[in-house]
Each structure stands twice: as structure tokens, then as C-alpha cells.
Amino acid sequence: MELEGKTALVFGAGSIGPGWGNGKACAVAYARAGASVVAVDLDIERARETCKIINEEGGRALSLAADVTDSAAIRKVADNALETFGSIDILHNNVGISLHGDPVSMSEEDWDRSIDCNLKSVFLACKHVLPVMLRQGSGVIINISSILSVVVSRYDEVAYYASKAGVDHLTRFVAVKYADRGIRCNAIQPGLMNTPLLYANKELVIDEHGSVEAMIEDRNAASPTGKMGEAWDIANAAVFLASDKSAYINGVILPVDGSILCKQA
């Protein structure tokens, strides 16, 4: 029980479809490691589903709904977490969207929405949770980035690439700024993961791959391991980074990608 007595605040703790998304798996993994969990999602039913699993396993969890682009909503979540559990020891930023388009075709509205959801949300969460951690004299922040913060894939996702690169450098800044105040900040770069998010837009899948089956085959073949990763790979990394076993790991952008970033194109 590496996280016994700690509280984890997880933004994006629900799953968009059946199975295990990264945020849902991380929230449950924190609970299994002993932490109390505040599970936050735009869709309260998704957050409740995650909390139901935690509570049925004997853990402690609170479900909340919030728009991560709304500063007042995030402040209210932080206040509720403190009121319920007394501390915020782990901040986990998992929310992200991927809207397609290049600089010519993408609308300004979609650009702004992407940046707000993927990058501004991390800034706002840090803005309202860091003061709590500073008062405590301790805390860990884990941001979910992507390997697409450093490479370009076959998809036109200019805003996603830019926003995730921003998450990486925001992570480094927070790590350096607060290192002497007992606060660590790291990011995880998921690679090709097999999660419910993959299947949320079948129209796009068919346009790009021809079928869902072809997409799975393509993504498995692209990984040096011969298969995609799963949400629990991200969750296990997150628990390690949140625990005292990683006490001297700070400002790291950790790929969990089956070595795809090492692979020559």
C-alpha cells in the first residue's frame, strides 16, 4: 500500500466507453495502492462508475463533475477534495481531446478548444492545487502527455501536437520551480494504447484504416513489441511516480510506449 494515507485528485477519471481508459485505470490503481481518490469527469456518470469500482473493492472515493477549462469549477473541486479527505497529495491531469486538422483546415474554434482542454486545463489544475501542496510542504503532479508531443503521426492533429508539447514543458517548469518546496512534477507519454478512446470515432477509423480490425492490426504492427499497450501500463507508471519510490525523479517526461520513440522511421 504505497500510497496509504494520501489523496489523489484525478481529472479525467472516467472512460469514454466500456473497458479501461487511462484515467479510469489510474484512479483505480491509486486506490488499490491505498490512496483516497477524487474522481473527476465532465460526465458525472463516468466518474461514478470509477468510484463504484473503488468502493466495491474497499477503497474510498468521491465522484465529481467538472469542466477542466473552467477555473471556478476546478477551484471548487479542489475545495471539495480538501473538505472530504483533508489533503491533496497527488494531482493527476488526464483530460485531453484530439481534433483533426492542419493550420489551414482547422478552425480557430477547434484550435482554441484543443489548447484549452489539453494545456490550459493542466495550468488551471496546477493553479488551484499547487497552493494546497505548498501549504502541505509536499505533493506530486502527474500530467498525461503523449509521444505525439515529440513526433508527428499519420494524422493531421496540429493542435494536439502543439498542446502536448506545451504540457511537457509546463511539467518541466513546475518541477524546477517547486523542487525545493517538496513538490515533484512529471509527465507520462503514452504510446499506442488500446483503450476505449480508440473506438469512439468509428467514422474516422474507417476513413483512415478501412475498418476497426485494420486499425488494430496497423497499430499493433507499428509497435516494436508487436502489440499496443493498455491502460494498466499507464496506471502502473503513475503509481510509481506518485510513490516515494520515485522521490528523486522530478521533471521527467516518461515514455510508456513499448520503445516506439526509439524506432527509426
Side-chain angles (χ1 to χ4, degrees):
M1 304 292 283
E2 300 166 86
L3 304 179
E4 185 72 37
K6 298 185 182 297
T7 299
L9 171 53
V10 182
F11 286 101
S15 180
I16 197 170
W20 292 95
N22 291 336
K24 181 180 178 182
C26 288
V28 172
Y30 289 140
R32 289 176 178 173
S36 300
V37 175
V38 180
V40 186
D41 202 274
L42 184 62
D43 184 330
I44 188 61
E45 292 306 320
R46 293 174 183 169
R48 285 172 177 161
E49 179 187 3
T50 300
C51 287
K52 183 173 183 287
I53 294 169
I54 292 171
N55 290 327
E56 286 178 347
E57 293 184 354
R60 303 176 66 205
L62 170 69
S63 58
L64 297 172
D67 179 348
V68 293
T69 67
D70 183 333
S71 183
I74 291 181
R75 184 189 305 113
K76 186 176 180 181
V77 164
D79 289 344
N80 285 345
L82 274 176
E83 182 179 350
T84 303
F85 294 121
S87 67
I88 303 175
D89 305 288
I90 301 156
L91 168 61
H92 184 102
N93 291 306
N94 183 73
V95 175
I97 58 172
S98 178
L99 302 180
H100 285 248
D102 57 48
V104 176
S105 66
M106 176 170 269
S107 68
E108 291 184 37
E109 291 77 15
D110 278 353
W111 170 270
D112 289 343
R113 184 181 168 207
S114 297
I115 298 300
D116 284 354
C117 188
N118 297 348
L119 180 56
K120 184 180 179 181
S121 64
V122 178
F123 162 75
L124 290 176
C126 289
K127 184 176 189 66
H128 295 299
V129 174
L130 273 168
V132 177
M133 293 181 170
L134 287 168
R135 289 196 298 270
Q136 294 170 173
S138 64
V140 178
I141 299 172
I142 298 170
N143 300 321
I144 302 302
S145 178
S146 169
I147 60 169
L148 298 183
S149 68
V150 293
V151 296
V152 175
S153 75
R154 64 190 287 179
Y155 305 114
D156 289 339
E157 297 177 331
V158 61
Y160 187 79
Y161 302 143
S163 61
K164 289 301 186 179
V167 168
D168 287 357
H169 216 46
L170 186 155
T171 298
R172 297 183 186 100
F173 172 82
V174 171
V176 172
K177 176 72 176 178
Y178 301 102
D180 64 349
R181 304 290 297 275
I183 297 169
R184 296 187 292 114
C185 185
N186 296 293
I188 296 172
Q189 291 177 327
L192 298 173
M193 313 305 293
N194 193 353
T195 67
L197 186 62
L198 270 187
Y199 311 98
N201 190 341
K202 289 189 177 180
E203 182 178 331
L204 177 63
V205 168
I206 291 171
D207 285 347
E208 291 286 347
H209 298 273
S211 68
V212 172
E213 292 74 19
M215 173 192 69
I216 295 171
E217 185 177 339
D218 290 347
R219 288 171 65 91
N220 283 338
S223 174
T225 66
K227 64 177 182 178
M228 290 182 278
E230 57 184 35
W232 294 106
D233 296 312
I234 306 303
N236 291 333
V239 169
F240 168 69
L241 289 175
S243 75
D244 290 341
K245 290 181 179 178
S246 64
Y248 206 58
I249 297 176
N250 192 30
V252 166
I253 315 299
L254 175 66
V256 180
D257 68 342
S259 74
I260 196 169
L261 284 181
C262 303
K263 183 181 177 182
Q264 184 176 2

